Amino acid sequence: MAAAATFLQPSARAALASVWLSVWLFGAAAPATADPLPVFEVAPGVFVHAGRHEETDAANGGDIANCGFIVGDEAVAVIDSGGSPVVGHRLREAIRIHTDRPIRYVVNTHMHPDHILGNVAFLPDRPDFVAHGNLQAALAARGEHYRQAFDTAVGANAAAEIRIIPPTIVVADRLELDLGGRVLDLVAWPVAHTDNDLTVLDRQTKTLWAGDLLFMERAPAIDGSVLVWLSTLDALAAEPATRVVPGHGPPSAPWPDAAMDLRRYLGRLVEGVRKVQAAHGTIQQAVETVAADEAPRWRLFDSYNPRNVTAAFAELEWE
């Protein structure tokens, strides 16, 4: 494994060892046979499960984000583990249908629960958990809230297995993971969708896993900086990829054309908020008007656009 600007965290490894011991003593709460997630092989050895365009609830069990895995000659890397332990177990079963190679890495593209709560399902494999250098602090701040929110949305029984798994490898800048004849390029990005966005590029197939730096079909959520997100999309367009796996949307799409809708929407937010502020308007006026004509293009628009306008208003107010 060749790496740049990356380091291991002994405290995180100690915490993970404690979780491993708990699993060994008490067993995992996985069903005896989990129903494998359906996956699409979007490129040779690159498998993606497409989550639903819904909020987490008891019916979908947290299966609302894209997740998947990449198979090398020697090992497997999971890219996001899904939005619940059950989704994680089902993803693990899907992997075992396609390969018996060891699961060496679980890569988390950012800290949102619909992408990480499946991590616990992979503890028996003893992989390295790989993430942006800021992810551990974000999980320390929000992990208990995520657990409680999942309990409320899905139920205490479904939430019982949840563990917030600390990363054992963190990426401060760039990192290469070698799966055997297959190298993955990981990049840690500045504050954009969140302050801990990580992308994965499979060199062999030129497939870019963008995490939630790319939303398609479903309305995006700003939990970072709208301005930096736009500039990050510019930088991502220069990545040597021909297809992309979005955090939400179809299993894959042509790159960089897949970002056109998101770029337009974020640009409309910035333009609209600036106009309201220039006219000395209020946040409420902005929420009621900015990007309103984007509604037909996005699922869950009414849930997320008001939050995005509010976040953009706060950011742009001090330009």
Side-chain angles (χ1 to χ4, degrees):
M1 177 178 66
T6 183
F7 57 92
L8 304 182
Q9 300 204 62
S11 61
R13 288 192 174 278
L16 190 55
S18 175
V19 178
W20 279 330
L21 178 61
S22 174
V23 170
W24 180 77
L25 289 173
F26 302 109
T33 55
D35 180 26
L37 281 180
V39 294
F40 300 87
E41 190 170 11
V42 301
V46 179
F47 297 86
V48 181
H49 170 72
R52 306 177 189 180
H53 294 319
E54 301 171 356
E55 299 282 26
T56 292
D57 60 23
N60 60 46
D63 183 13
I64 66 168
N66 293 354
C67 57
F69 56 96
I70 303 172
V71 181
D73 291 341
E74 298 173 3
V76 177
V78 173
I79 315 298
D80 285 340
S81 59
S84 72
V86 168
V87 174
H89 288 299
R90 294 182 65 200
L91 177 60
R92 189 168 181 263
E93 288 297 314
I95 294 171
R96 287 300 165 235
I97 288 175
H98 293 279
T99 180
D100 60 359
R101 291 164 195 163
I103 299 169
R104 186 175 295 166
Y105 303 105
V106 175
V107 180
N108 293 145
T109 62
H110 63 293
M111 88 291 203
H112 285 156
D114 51 330
H115 296 262
I116 67 164
L117 291 185
N119 282 358
V120 67
F122 295 93
L123 287 174
D125 300 291
R126 298 207 168 199
D128 272 306
F129 291 87
V130 187
H132 190 291
N134 292 339
L135 182 132
Q136 188 167 357
L139 289 182
R142 297 192 187 181
E144 186 56 33
H145 168 70
Y146 289 161
R147 186 197 308 270
Q148 292 174 2
F150 187 87
D151 188 323
T152 300
V154 181
N157 288 339
E161 195 191 354
I162 288 176
R163 304 287 185 275
I164 302 302
I165 309 297
T168 55
I169 298 177
V170 296
V171 185
D173 182 15
R174 291 179 176 267
L175 172 69
E176 296 177 4
L177 299 180
D178 190 348
L179 303 181
R182 186 165 219 150
V183 175
L184 310 182
D185 292 312
L186 279 59
V187 179
W189 296 91
V191 180
H193 166 60
T194 69
D195 74 348
N196 50 89
D197 296 308
L198 190 72
T199 59
V200 180
L201 176 67
D202 173 37
R203 289 185 193 172
Q204 182 171 316
T205 64
K206 300 186 184 304
T207 302
L208 175 67
W209 295 69
D212 278 5
L213 286 173
L214 179 62
F215 282 72
M216 299 179 70
E217 302 171 355
R218 170 184 170 144
I222 300 172
D223 195 10
S225 165
V226 64
L227 294 177
V228 181
W229 197 343
L230 280 164
S231 64
T232 297
L233 288 174
D234 291 338
L236 274 173
E239 290 288 297
T242 58
R243 72 178 58 81
V244 66
V245 178
H248 297 268
S252 72
W255 186 252
D257 293 351
M260 290 177 59
D261 286 345
L262 178 61
R263 187 189 301 278
R264 184 196 64 248
Y265 170 71
L266 296 178
R268 294 291 305 283
L269 277 181
V270 171
E271 178 185 16
V273 166
R274 282 174 172 161
K275 285 183 178 178
V276 172
Q277 290 176 338
H280 305 290
T282 65
I283 284 184
Q284 187 57 40
Q285 289 172 327
V287 166
E288 292 171 354
T289 61
V290 170
D293 59 353
E294 287 279 322
R297 300 185 174 98
W298 300 98
R299 309 273 187 90
L300 303 179
F301 182 85
D302 290 341
S303 295
Y304 284 89
N305 190 62
R307 305 181 203 179
N308 293 337
V309 173
T310 300
F313 197 101
E315 178 180 353
L316 298 172
E317 192 170 21
W318 303 105
E319 279 191 305

